[in-house]
Amino acid sequence: EAGVTQSPTHLIKTRGQQATLRCSPISGHTSVYWYQQALGLGLQFLLWYDEGEERNRGNFPPRFSGRQFPNYSSELNVNALELEDSALYLCASSKGTAGEPQHFGDGTRLSIL
Amino acid sequence: EDQVTQSPEALRLQEGESSSLNCSYTVSGLRGLFWYRQDPGKGPEFLFTLYSAGEEKEKERLKATLTKKESFLHITAPKPEDSATYLCAVQRGGADGLTFGKGTHLIIQP
């Protein structure tokens, strides 16, 4: 069974640009989650999508947004990039039931110059 | 606000030297406590879910336990391949995002 896949692996942008990150969940999983893992800060919850709807978001500004497509894949958009947005962005998927484990991809490394 | 604190931040052991990692948590309405292992350059790999105080789960050299305030990950006779960062996370009501601790960086020396 294929795991969670993310693309691209690495992304280099400059301040003020926009970035789009993509995620394909495990087959049969309806929930997709996005996390930011910045150096020294640990994993921070960004967004949760289920059945095409945004269900919850963490403590991040509105320039972090995304969507979930009918095939349950998802994309994360980050507008007006800032230097502190440099981080590993991880996508996870689950069956969408409380208490079900989330399974992670290997992330997109976003570097802002 | 949900909080997860892991200790120690780093731990260096000799091969075969057993030890425990701690995860203290504060959350209203715990739905699940999760343990993950993360290798450099990789995403977290799921290890265990614990749902209620008193529950225990085992996998190879790892055993996770849960009380109302903390969880322990016991590592018995570790091998160098057990070297990784171990992450603890909690989930409150619903299938919501997880709140993670900062992890314990474990090094097992041969």
Side-chain angles (χ1 to χ4, degrees):
Chain A
E1 179 184 272
V4 175
T5 58
Q6 293 187 245
S7 63
T9 306
H10 294 92
L11 191 56
I12 300 174
K13 295 284 185 178
T14 57
R15 285 175 57 191
Q17 284 189 314
Q18 187 239 5
T20 299
L21 288 62
R22 295 181 176 83
C23 172
S24 292
I26 291 171
S27 177
H29 287 189
T30 61
S31 276
V32 170
Y33 308 81
W34 289 94
Y35 293 85
Q36 182 194 67
Q37 189 172 32
L39 209 59
L41 293 180
L43 273 127
Q44 306 280 320
F45 166 65
L46 261 167
L47 290 158
W48 168 31
Y49 292 94
D50 184 66
E51 296 287 357
E53 300 284 332
E54 181 180 306
R55 302 296 184 184
N56 199 10
R57 67 182 294 130
N59 189 25
F60 282 85
R63 58 191 187 83
F64 288 85
S65 66
R67 54 181 170 164
Q68 186 178 34
F69 299 99
N71 67 352
Y72 302 111
S73 67
S74 175
E75 67 180 30
L76 173 69
N77 296 295
V78 188
N79 293 319
L81 287 164
E82 301 178 2
L83 292 176
E84 53 264 35
D85 296 333
S86 293
L88 181 66
Y89 288 84
L90 291 159
C91 173
S93 72
S94 82
K95 293 180 181 178
T97 304
E100 280 287 328
Q102 298 175 16
H103 297 274
F104 285 80
D106 285 336
T108 293
R109 172 71 62 185
L110 177 62
S111 299
I112 313 302
L113 304 179
Chain B
E1 184 180 325
D2 302 343
Q3 284 195 321
V4 179
T5 304
Q6 292 188 245
S7 61
E9 289 184 13
L11 182 61
R12 189 182 296 265
L13 301 172
Q14 292 296 124
E15 184 173 1
E17 182 184 359
S18 302
S19 189
S20 297
L21 314 183
N22 177 262
C23 170
S24 297
Y25 65 91
T26 304
V27 61
S28 57
L30 178 72
R31 278 293 189 152
L33 184 140
F34 302 84
W35 282 98
Y36 289 85
R37 134 181 205 144
Q38 187 174 25
D39 294 297
K42 299 285 189 180
E45 175 190 347
F46 171 70
L47 293 173
F48 302 110
T49 309
L50 300 166
Y51 296 104
S52 57
E55 191 174 0
E56 298 182 353
K57 294 241 176 111
E58 284 189 69
K59 179 181 178 180
E60 296 180 359
R61 295 177 292 282
L62 300 176
K63 178 180 176 180
T65 62
L66 182 65
T67 72
K68 287 187 178 179
K69 293 184 179 181
E70 58 190 350
S71 176
F72 291 93
L73 184 66
H74 306 280
I75 303 177
T76 302
K79 298 181 178 181
E81 54 262 41
D82 294 323
S83 298
T85 296
Y86 290 84
L87 299 166
C88 171
V90 296
Q91 184 182 55
R92 58 159 69 188
D96 211 334
L98 303 178
T99 299
F100 279 86
K102 291 190 175 182
T104 293
H105 182 49
L106 178 65
I107 298 172
I108 309 299
Q109 293 179 310

